Amino acid sequence: DAEGSFENIRAVEGLRVAQTIVRVVEIFRSQCVAEVFSEPSKITADHAAQLEKCLLAAFPPDGENYRTHRHLQLTGEFAARIAEKMQLNPHEFRALGMMHDVGRLITHQDGVNPHRYFRNDLLGETLMKRAGFSSQFLHHLQPRRSYLEPNMFASKDVFTLPQKIIML
């Protein structure tokens, strides 16, 4: 029946998402240095470049996810430029920008409708936590609650400076 098919598709896609997260976590843990994950303020140009290589290894840009890769790269570039003008570590903001929507790379694979079953922000956060990104790194990204309770986040004043830069 139609409902059984829907549940079966959800289960298959859920398994694919879980397997993707496990595969990507292994790539991140084996190819990226711990400083990228633990102390964002100490990220160097080499760390940011290494993080970008990890993203490309984990999610080869082809098909639909090419646009997401480009979005992440541009966000990282723009955030780095803003940070530099504000005398902040541009490499930290490049890394933050590259990771801010990483959940979309999980859902945009193989023609999957990215909004059909999964929330990109939750998948991205799950991936980063399992890969070992620090709570400090995650705190610099847009809060998950802002998606769920937009009324609580109606004013730009509730966001931290790093969050504002990445969202901009």
Side-chain angles (χ1 to χ4, degrees):
D1 68 353
E3 180 140 338
S5 297
F6 175 77
E7 289 302 318
N8 189 38
I9 290 170
R10 262 179 57 164
V12 168
E13 288 188 9
L15 179 60
R16 182 193 58 79
V17 165
Q19 290 170 337
T20 298
I21 289 173
V22 168
R23 178 182 60 80
V24 172
V25 164
E26 288 303 314
I27 290 170
F28 274 69
R29 286 185 175 167
S30 66
Q31 295 183 20
C32 287
V33 294
E35 287 87 359
V36 174
F37 305 139
S38 60
E39 295 189 57
S41 62
K42 294 185 178 181
I43 293 175
T44 66
D46 288 341
H47 295 139
Q50 189 178 38
L51 180 59
E52 187 167 14
K53 285 180 185 175
C54 286
L55 279 173
L56 293 171
F59 302 102
D62 58 354
E64 180 63 27
N65 79 5
Y66 173 80
R67 288 175 25 185
T68 302
H69 267 289
R70 192 68 188 131
H71 166 70
L72 298 176
Q73 289 169 336
L74 287 173
T75 301
E77 288 173 26
F78 289 134
R81 288 182 193 171
I82 293 168
E84 198 167 45
K85 289 192 181 295
M86 298 182 76
Q87 299 180 335
L88 301 169
N89 179 354
H91 313 299
E92 172 185 3
F93 284 86
R94 180 174 172 218
L96 288 164
M98 285 189 291
M99 295 303 293
H100 86 283
D101 256 348
V102 72
R104 288 185 184 196
L105 288 173
I106 298 169
T107 59
H108 279 66
Q109 292 183 67
D110 305 323
V112 173
N113 176 343
H115 303 291
R116 186 165 43 190
Y117 303 118
F118 305 106
R119 291 201 24 229
N120 299 327
D121 58 319
L122 293 176
L123 292 176
E125 183 178 296
T126 298
L127 170 67
M128 287 187 280
K129 282 182 176 178
R130 291 198 178 174
F133 282 83
S134 69
S135 59
Q136 182 184 7
F137 189 96
L138 295 172
H139 180 69
H140 289 330
L141 299 173
Q142 184 174 352
R144 178 171 26 123
R145 287 185 58 215
S146 69
Y147 296 99
L148 301 172
E149 303 172 53
N151 293 338
M152 291 180 61
F153 294 86
S155 168
K156 68 181 184 321
D157 298 329
V158 299
F159 296 101
T160 65
L161 179 61
Q163 291 168 343
K164 289 176 189 176
I165 291 172
I166 299 303
M167 291 184 326
L168 179 63

